[in-house]
Amino acid sequence: MEIVYNNPYRIIGIYSGSSERELQKQKSLLNAYMDANKELHFDCDFPFLPNITRTQEIVEIALSNLQLNQKKLIYSLFWFVKGSYIDEQAFIYLQDGDVYKAEDIWEKVTSNYQKLQQNIISFNNLSTLELALACSNNNVNIDLYCKALKNKLELIQSDSFDKFVTITTDNNYHPDQNEIFSLFMDEIISFIESSETILGDNFIDFISKIFETFSHISSEAYNDIKSKLMSIALYPIEIEIKDTQKKRKLNPREGIKYALNLYEKTKNDWTKLNYVFSDDLNFNNTSDNLAIEIMQCAIDCFNDYCNNPYYANSMNDEFSIGNSIIKLLDYSSYYAKNRLTLQRIEENKKIINEWLEETNVRIHIYPVKSDIDYILIKLNQFQYNFNIDTEINKGITYLKKNIIKEINCLWLDCRLKMQTIQDKLGNNDNIVINLNSNVINLVMGYLIDYLNYVCSLYQSQVEFGTSIIDQSTLIYAHQIA
């Protein structure tokens, strides 16, 4: 832990609580040794601590960090403080490398509340030792770290904290306890953030246990710590969500793979966080975003598949893609916290299930789907071109666009495709029958409408003596129809 291992008091080589005279004496000694390029070693360079490098610059920074009482107090909370003869004896054990005897001494004199208040310095030293041991060998002993943290919190909130302040600073300094707690927690949060790489899969366990350690503190401080811990804990999940979203938008076809990868990478952390923070708004929002991204991966992949039917080779392919999408939506439902998100997931599941039920029909028409699509497009285009709202416009459109010629072209365009579909599916296939009926009904409908229009024109000229259409045109219209 950086603030312990490179504590300014350790760099200077003294215990907290040393007098100003002792500090100045140590400063002169340091300067003399460094000017002579001699190796420095002090009583508080305990064997269980990692090696430390002292340079002129590092020493000067350490001395400047101990100019203000506030900083003296914070650094004292993470270092060893001169106290009674009990502490002196424990320090001797630490110098000899016997941490367990030192620990035993301090535990005995702080074993209950009354002893703790009388030996507040020993209590600080015990928790500092626990912190140092918990973070040794590039590892974190989570249980020991939380025990040390709990002891530090108890120290800051104790009735004897003023006594601790006086010993480590001076009689004129009366700090705000909440401010000191906040500064102390800034150091703890900094360490937590730096420990993610070291702890790996145990990182969320670490955060959860630290959160439990703070369960007894005041509500205001509790909420502040909870917010900070949640921000740290949720960050890896939020990064995975953003990364998946970016990949999905670039290549929706791989949505299933991206969603499964997102699920696998976040499920363990999510399960642990949900156990502790299930009522937390920030956690629920992130959990809902996780559900939405998994769902969106499934939807985008499904849409891409449906828009490119040539991906399918068999009924097994259809069932495979459909069941995979349903599975992802189930995962999404598991993470969803918002009612509207859950509702949207269920709506999509209903759509996919209906799609699966129609698999047989889709597989049946895949060999001729391009032909069917061609015919449907032609029919839609024709209807769009001859979408007539009044009798006057009908006359203009029919004459200007030569509807007989257009109907003939439509029929010729569709007839070959209809024959191909019929050859592949058979004469009695319902799809063939329905498609042929749609084409014939449309063609016949427009022909009959055209015939009626021509007849009405002919009737009008007989009645009013106009010459709009001759009898041969009327006969031709009947023949075409």
Side-chain angles (χ1 to χ4, degrees):
M1 191 172 183
E2 183 70 16
I3 195 170
V4 176
Y5 298 153
N6 290 308
N7 192 291
Y9 284 110
R10 187 195 177 195
I11 292 171
I12 297 168
I14 60 174
Y15 298 109
S16 173
S18 299
S19 66
E20 183 63 26
R21 181 179 178 182
E22 289 175 301
L23 178 61
Q24 293 303 320
K25 181 180 177 181
Q26 193 74 357
K27 180 180 177 181
S28 300
L29 181 63
L30 283 164
N31 289 332
Y33 268 77
M34 285 187 290
D35 288 342
N37 291 320
K38 289 186 177 181
E39 185 177 349
L40 296 165
H41 186 79
F42 301 111
D43 289 345
C44 55
D45 287 334
F46 303 128
F48 63 88
L49 295 174
N51 294 330
I52 188 173
T53 300
R54 293 181 175 94
T55 65
Q56 189 73 42
E57 181 182 6
I58 290 174
V59 169
E60 288 177 0
I61 292 173
L63 289 168
S64 67
N65 281 333
L66 297 176
Q67 294 296 313
L68 299 176
N69 279 328
Q70 185 187 76
K71 288 194 172 183
K72 281 184 178 180
L73 179 56
I74 294 300
Y75 285 121
S76 296
L77 286 168
F78 292 97
W79 190 238
F80 299 96
V81 182
K82 288 178 67 174
S84 66
Y85 71 93
I86 296 172
D87 300 292
E88 291 177 3
Q89 182 59 53
F91 290 154
I92 293 173
Y93 285 129
L94 292 181
Q95 291 164 18
D96 293 338
D98 197 340
V99 296
Y100 298 109
K101 284 187 178 180
E103 189 175 24
D104 184 59
I105 288 176
W106 281 325
E107 283 182 342
K108 285 179 179 178
V109 298
T110 58
S111 58
N112 58 49
Y113 181 79
Q114 185 177 358
K115 288 183 178 180
L116 186 155
Q117 299 303 316
Q118 293 172 350
N119 298 287
I120 195 71
I121 299 301
S122 297
F123 191 53
N124 176 75
N125 293 337
L126 172 62
S127 55
T128 297
L129 176 61
E130 290 168 340
L131 280 178
L133 295 176
C135 304
S136 61
N137 300 319
N138 197 34
N139 196 8
V140 180
N141 183 321
I142 296 176
D143 291 333
L144 183 58
Y145 187 90
C146 289
K147 177 186 175 186
L149 184 57
K150 183 178 179 181
N151 289 340
K152 290 292 185 188
L153 293 174
E154 190 173 350
L155 186 155
I156 294 172
Q157 295 177 325
S158 73
D159 295 334
S160 297
F161 186 63
D162 288 341
K163 177 182 176 182
F164 180 84
V165 172
T166 301
I167 292 173
T168 56
T169 58
D170 59 47
N171 293 326
N172 298 320
Y173 181 51
H174 304 287
D176 179 76
Q177 199 169 26
N178 291 330
E179 182 182 2
I180 296 304
F181 174 80
S182 179
L183 292 171
F184 172 80
M185 281 312 307
D186 286 343
E187 295 297 334
I188 299 300
I189 294 296
S190 177
F191 173 74
I192 293 172
E193 291 175 329
S194 67
S195 66
E196 181 181 359
T197 303
I198 298 173
L199 288 167
D201 293 340
N202 294 322
F203 182 62
I204 299 300
D205 290 326
F206 183 40
I207 290 179
S208 298
K209 289 195 175 182
I210 287 180
F211 177 73
E212 291 172 2
T213 301
F214 286 104
S215 59
H216 64 285
I217 64 176
S218 65
S219 59
E220 182 178 351
Y222 174 84
N223 290 331
D224 181 51
I225 295 303
K226 183 179 180 181
S227 176
K228 290 178 179 178
L229 290 176
M230 282 305 308
S231 178
I232 296 171
L234 293 175
Y235 181 73
I237 295 178
E238 290 168 348
I239 288 297
E240 291 296 337
I241 293 173
K242 290 180 180 179
D243 183 57
T244 302
Q245 184 183 64
K246 184 177 180 180
K247 291 178 180 177
R248 167 178 58 80
K249 290 181 177 180
L250 289 173
N251 188 9
R253 190 179 306 176
E254 297 293 338
I256 292 176
K257 182 177 76 174
Y258 299 148
L260 287 174
N261 186 57
L262 176 61
Y263 171 73
E264 291 296 330
K265 283 188 173 182
T266 58
K267 65 178 182 180
N268 289 336
D269 287 354
W270 183 91
T271 301
K272 294 172 184 176
L273 289 171
N274 188 54
Y275 180 75
V276 180
F277 301 106
S278 60
D279 62 340
D280 181 81
L281 180 61
N282 290 331
F283 171 73
N284 287 337
N285 286 339
T286 299
S287 182
D288 213 54
N289 289 336
L290 180 60
I292 290 171
E293 183 55 34
I294 291 175
M295 174 180 62
Q296 201 60 52
C297 281
I299 293 171
D300 286 4
C301 180
F302 175 74
N303 289 338
D304 184 79
Y305 179 88
C306 291
N307 293 331
N308 297 278
Y310 47 82
Y311 293 152
N313 295 313
S314 67
M315 188 179 297
N316 288 335
D317 293 331
E318 293 276 291
F319 282 122
S320 177
I321 189 79
N323 289 329
S324 294
I325 298 298
I326 291 294
K327 183 178 181 180
L328 289 179
L329 293 176
D330 286 338
Y331 289 158
S332 179
S333 180
Y334 181 66
Y335 289 135
K337 299 289 186 177
N338 186 283
R339 180 179 59 81
L340 293 177
T341 303
L342 285 166
Q343 182 178 330
R344 187 180 168 202
I345 292 168
E346 291 305 313
E347 288 171 354
N348 280 285
K349 285 173 72 173
K350 181 180 179 181
I351 292 171
I352 303 302
N353 282 319
E354 290 174 353
W355 181 83
L356 282 170
E357 291 174 359
E358 297 168 355
T359 299
N360 289 332
V361 175
R362 284 194 307 279
I363 294 299
H364 181 59
I365 68 171
Y366 271 136
V368 293
K369 189 174 188 307
S370 61
D371 296 318
I372 294 174
D373 288 342
Y374 178 86
I375 292 174
L376 294 177
I377 289 171
K378 287 293 182 180
L379 295 180
N380 288 333
Q381 286 177 344
F382 186 88
Q383 288 177 302
Y384 176 80
N385 290 335
F386 291 94
N387 183 19
I388 302 161
D389 54 355
T390 67
E391 288 297 315
I392 294 175
N393 287 337
K394 179 185 291 186
I396 296 172
T397 303
Y398 281 176
L399 294 174
K400 186 176 180 179
K401 294 188 177 181
N402 194 346
I403 189 171
I404 296 299
K405 180 181 177 181
E406 293 294 332
I407 291 174
N408 190 50
C409 289
L410 174 65
W411 175 253
L412 293 175
D413 285 340
C414 293
R415 186 176 61 181
L416 292 176
K417 297 293 183 181
M418 291 164 65
Q419 187 61 52
T420 300
I421 295 169
Q422 186 170 301
D423 290 343
K424 291 182 178 180
L425 301 185
N427 296 341
N428 298 322
D429 187 89
N430 287 332
I431 292 174
V432 173
I433 295 171
N434 291 333
L435 184 64
N436 290 351
S437 297
N438 287 337
V439 175
I440 293 170
N441 289 338
L442 184 139
V443 169
M444 289 300 298
Y446 275 95
L447 282 173
I448 292 171
D449 188 65
Y450 175 69
L451 177 61
N452 291 335
Y453 174 69
V454 171
C455 290
S456 68
L457 288 180
Y458 184 75
Q459 184 65 32
S460 296
Q461 73 182 25
V462 170
E463 293 178 1
F464 299 104
T466 57
S467 181
I468 302 173
I469 186 171
D470 58 27
Q471 192 171 12
S472 61
T473 302
L474 180 62
I475 295 170
Y476 174 71
H478 274 280
Q479 289 174 342
I480 292 296

